[in-house]
């Protein structure tokens, strides 16, 4: 089956999808992105992704080319065209093609470049790793200071992911000033008894869309929530740990830097949170 891609108002085959070599997203990572999960052919947490997209664009002074309703129609069009049942819709917006390479922003009326594509991921809601848990290493957080903006500057997170792979681990958590910030592409959490701890929202971490939903579910399940940083030592003393993201939903973390967390197996609270989140996501999908 052909893979259809949206590029600047046109839906074309993947082979026909092209962007100028002068595009600032290519030259300078001057672009933002969003990833929306799809279950049963429907979009998960779409309103939250639209809100974060608008915020990221605003922080970089890039005009939002579409309204939330228009974005919804474009996402649905691409899901239908690619017959996507379970997977992801990737959206990227750059400051556009300035016609040459220059550090200065192009004129404000330069059209942004908009690219969208889908990725099929059968079994995304029930991966094997959800029942065994992730092994995580820690790495120094040397990223730029505006991690709250969802830009395409992902080189160091990709390097950290490969550092984990080379050690036989699945993921890496960034550590700054002795405290865990987040994972390479996810938010990080620990549980001590019935208390869930995750870093507070600021410029240090991405304001996860899934994170917001999970915090609400945690309250409903009777878990207390502390939004603060936690150290690696505190994580190793925790009963449970997990990550959240649009593509992973909720996945347990069972090992950190070669040492088990809790029992070394996915914990009951993490499993309950995951089940509750997926059930709600399916119920509220659009």
């Amino acid at each position: 089956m052909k893979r259809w891609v949206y590029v600047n108002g046109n839906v074309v085959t993947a082979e026909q999808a092209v962007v100028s070599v002068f595009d600032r997203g290519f030259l300078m990572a001057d672009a933002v992105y969003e990833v929306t999960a799809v279950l049963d052919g429907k979009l998960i947490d779409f309103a939250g992704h639209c809100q974060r997209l608008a915020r990221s664009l605003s922080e970089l002074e890039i005009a939002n080319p579409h309204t939330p309703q228009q974005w919804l129609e474009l996402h649905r069009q691409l899901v239908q065209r690619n017959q996507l049942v379970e997977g992801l819709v990737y959206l990227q917006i750059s400051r556009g093609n300035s016609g040459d390479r220059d550090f200065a922003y192009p004129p404000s009326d330069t059209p942004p470049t908009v690219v969208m594509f889908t990725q099929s991921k059968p079994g995304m809601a029930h991966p094997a790793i959800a029942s065994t848990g992730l092994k995580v290493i820690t790495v120094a957080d040397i990223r730029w200071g505006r991690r709250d903006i969802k830009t395409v500057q992902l080189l160091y997170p990709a390097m950290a992911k490969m550092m984990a792979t080379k050690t036989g681990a699945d993921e890496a958590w960034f550590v700054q000033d002795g405290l865990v910030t987040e994972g390479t592409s996810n938010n990080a959490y620990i549980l001590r008894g019935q208390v869930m701890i995750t870093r507070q929202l600021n410029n240090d971490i991405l304001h996860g869309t899934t994170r917001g939903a999970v915090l609400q579910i945690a309250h409903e399940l009777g878990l207390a929530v502390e939004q603060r940083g936690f150290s690696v030592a505190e994580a190793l003393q925790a009963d449970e740990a997990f990550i959240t993201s649009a593509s992973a939903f909720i996945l347990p973390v069972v090992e950190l830097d070669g040492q088990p967390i809790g029992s070394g197996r996915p914990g009951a609270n993490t499993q309950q949170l995951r089940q509750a989140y997926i059930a709600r996501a399916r119920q509220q999908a659009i």
Side-chain angles (χ1 to χ4, degrees):
M1 186 181 74
K2 289 183 179 180
R3 187 180 188 184
W4 297 96
V5 176
Y6 177 94
V7 183
N8 294 332
N10 299 307
V11 177
V12 298
T13 64
E15 295 75 17
Q16 296 171 318
V18 295
V19 174
S20 170
V21 297
F22 299 116
D23 190 87
R24 288 182 62 89
F26 171 69
L27 292 176
M28 297 182 174
D30 190 358
V32 302
Y33 76 103
E34 279 293 334
V35 179
T36 302
V38 174
L39 290 178
D40 309 319
K42 295 182 178 181
L43 299 159
I44 305 299
D45 292 331
F46 185 75
H49 287 290
C50 267
Q51 291 170 4
R52 186 172 61 185
L53 174 67
R55 181 182 182 277
S56 293
L57 289 169
S58 177
E59 291 296 307
L60 295 186
E61 299 179 1
I62 298 175
N64 193 334
H66 297 299
T67 66
Q69 183 60 37
Q70 289 171 332
W71 282 125
L72 177 58
E73 292 171 359
L74 289 172
H75 277 69
R76 284 175 166 170
Q77 177 186 6
L78 208 57
V79 167
Q80 183 178 19
R81 193 72 177 269
N82 285 293
Q83 300 179 33
L84 184 65
V85 177
E86 195 165 354
L88 306 167
V89 180
Y90 179 91
L91 161 64
Q92 179 169 313
I93 305 173
S94 83
R95 201 178 301 274
N97 171 14
S98 60
D100 212 335
R101 183 181 182 276
D102 195 332
F103 276 80
Y105 288 173
S108 59
D109 59 352
T110 302
T113 297
V114 181
V115 173
M116 296 172 60
F117 58 82
T118 63
Q119 292 179 274
S120 180
K121 291 185 174 293
M124 184 174 69
H126 302 288
I129 197 70
S131 61
T132 58
L134 299 167
K135 297 179 180 179
V136 175
I137 65 168
T138 57
V139 299
D141 198 341
I142 59 173
R143 299 171 297 164
W144 80 315
R146 291 303 308 272
R147 303 153 197 163
D148 56 306
I149 307 173
K150 198 171 177 69
T151 72
V152 299
Q153 299 180 63
L154 298 174
L155 178 57
Y156 187 60
M159 292 173 67
K161 184 82 76 172
M162 293 310 299
M163 293 177 203
T165 299
K166 290 176 181 177
T167 68
D170 307 293
E171 179 57 82
W173 278 359
F174 294 119
V175 178
Q176 181 178 8
D177 298 327
L179 300 177
V180 174
T181 48
E182 58 188 342
T184 61
S185 57
N186 44 70
N187 291 122
Y189 310 73
I190 59 173
L191 281 155
R192 302 189 69 174
Q194 295 299 107
V195 179
M196 188 174 84
I197 303 167
T198 189
R199 197 173 180 101
Q200 70 275 20
L201 294 181
N202 51 32
N203 292 351
D204 293 336
I205 68 169
L206 182 68
H207 300 186
T209 299
T210 306
R211 176 189 182 278
V214 169
L215 261 60
Q216 182 179 356
I217 292 171
H219 284 298
E220 294 171 0
L221 293 178
L223 297 173
V225 177
E226 293 183 8
Q227 297 189 54
R228 61 172 177 82
F230 58 85
S231 67
V232 174
E234 188 175 7
L236 288 171
Q237 295 169 358
D239 298 310
E240 304 177 42
F242 63 93
I243 62 165
T244 65
S245 72
S247 58
F249 304 138
I250 299 173
L251 286 178
V253 173
V254 298
E255 182 181 294
L256 185 61
D257 287 337
Q259 301 182 60
I261 294 179
S263 66
R265 298 187 299 273
N269 283 315
T270 299
Q271 293 172 322
Q272 187 178 21
L273 282 165
R274 179 178 173 83
Q275 293 168 1
Y277 173 80
I278 293 175
R280 176 172 298 189
R282 282 197 154 110
Q283 182 182 27
Q284 296 180 351
I286 60 175

